Amino acid sequence: MAQQHTHRVAVIGGDGIGPEVVREALRVIDAVGVTLATTDFDLGAARYLRDGFVLDDDTLEELRSYDAILLGAIGPALGDTRIPGGTLERGLLLRLRFGLDLYINYRPFRGVPGSIADGHSFAIVRENTEGPYAGEGGVLRHGTPHEIATQGSVNTRFGVERCVRYAFERAAALEVPKVTLVHKTNVLTYAGDLWQRVTTQVASEYRAIAVDYNHVDAACIYLVDDPTRYGIIVTDNLFGDILSDLAGAVSGGIGFAASGNLNPARTGPSLFEPVHGAAHDIAGTGRANPLAAISSAALMLEHLGEMSAARRVEVAVAEFDADVHQLTTSGVTDELLKRL
């Protein structure tokens, strides 16, 4: 009998409903027979409000030693102004992405019954460490009538190509393989030209995969009008951030949307998290939908090489036909476990 491997996973429950949905995801992982050695990290809004801590070098290096990171949700309650804007986004989430080189944000979607995307599966591959989020820019004469603010979009050939290649590799496994580049090449002529040329070059190595291009504003219309036209969407950091929220909406809501912040080169751990926020208003009420966190855990299992277990969870979520609005958070997991 083969010896079971134990995976070391850092768990960041975070804020609001984060710890609740992570707890359910870990229940499902245990049910499919995968052994994890977990360590909890107290990070997020609650930690910052308690002692001002966000993420230091030592903690980042400690996280680097794990096989994967499972995150629930980060953020203060709506209307809580005690945390300066961008403190957690840049100091924690973006620092993890940049520091661990999580250069792919992979977001798969499957339309739940009754949604616009009903039954259709597609995914967005978003470049995760460049674009406007790289932090290039500055401000002059702040707070005066003559204030000037600039925010540049950083796009490197290296960063764009590794993102596009990942998209084509994902598309190769689809029943109908197709990659759609989404950008704004008619206006963003420098960055758009780079993305277009790289996509054309990489496409020449994947002749069996259909290739298309949409301007980002058109893609917003198409996602609402007919999401079945998409297999894999590949795009930059900002457009991917916006489109993935829209894709969650047309697929049934972000309560079902999973994501993986991936380092495919495996020079550091990848991070898996549901797309939804901390939702402090329903924390502790048992009303949080854990399926996004559970699907994120399935992505983590796939990344860890536990392919059979990951597939079992994916199928159980895809076939889940109970009304999540009529069940408690743990009740949703109970129903899901019956399908495993």
Side-chain angles (χ1 to χ4, degrees), residues 12 25 30 62 79 87 92 95 102 130 165 184 189 227 234 265-266 271 292 300 313 331:
I12 305 173
D30 182 64
E62 185 179 357
T87 299
L92 178 55
R95 191 175 182 202
L102 306 178
E130 297 187 348
R165 286 192 178 279
K184 193 68 175 173
T189 51
V234 63
R266 297 179 184 270
L271 183 151
M300 183 177 76
V313 177

Side-chain angles (χ1 to χ4, degrees), residues 5-35:
H5 182 69
T6 299
H7 305 282
R8 298 180 66 247
V9 173
V11 176
I12 305 173
D15 305 305
I17 64 171
E20 300 172 35
V21 296
V22 163
R23 181 173 61 247
E24 302 307 314
L26 292 174
R27 282 181 63 196
V28 172
I29 292 174
D30 182 64
V32 293
V34 176
T35 302

Side-chain angles (χ1 to χ4, degrees), residues 33 38 45 65 79 84 94-95 107 140-141 183-184 247 269 278 282 293 295 313 316:
T38 62
S65 69
L94 291 187
R95 191 175 182 202
R107 296 191 176 183
L140 292 173
R141 307 185 190 102
H183 211 279
K184 193 68 175 173
I282 61 170
S295 293
V313 177

Side-chain angles (χ1 to χ4, degrees), residues 261-273:
N261 296 275
L262 307 178
N263 178 336
R266 297 179 184 270
T267 58
S270 293
L271 183 151
F272 303 86
E273 59 175 325

Side-chain angles (χ1 to χ4, degrees), residues 28-77:
V28 172
I29 292 174
D30 182 64
V32 293
V34 176
T35 302
L36 304 182
T38 62
T39 303
D40 291 321
F41 284 79
D42 182 13
L43 300 170
R47 174 70 187 273
Y48 178 83
L49 290 173
R50 190 166 65 249
D51 59 18
F53 184 87
V54 181
L55 179 67
D56 61 12
D57 292 343
D58 290 342
T59 305
L60 180 62
E61 286 306 306
E62 185 179 357
L63 287 167
R64 195 185 303 278
S65 69
Y66 285 82
D67 298 320
I69 302 169
L70 183 62
L71 185 149
I74 295 294

Side-chain angles (χ1 to χ4, degrees), residues 153-157 160 183-198:
S153 178
V154 177
N155 298 265
T156 68
R157 172 76 186 222
V160 172
H183 211 279
K184 193 68 175 173
T185 56
N186 59 336
V187 176
L188 304 177
T189 51
Y190 303 118
D193 177 63
L194 175 59
W195 277 88
Q196 186 73 74
R197 283 187 289 109
V198 170

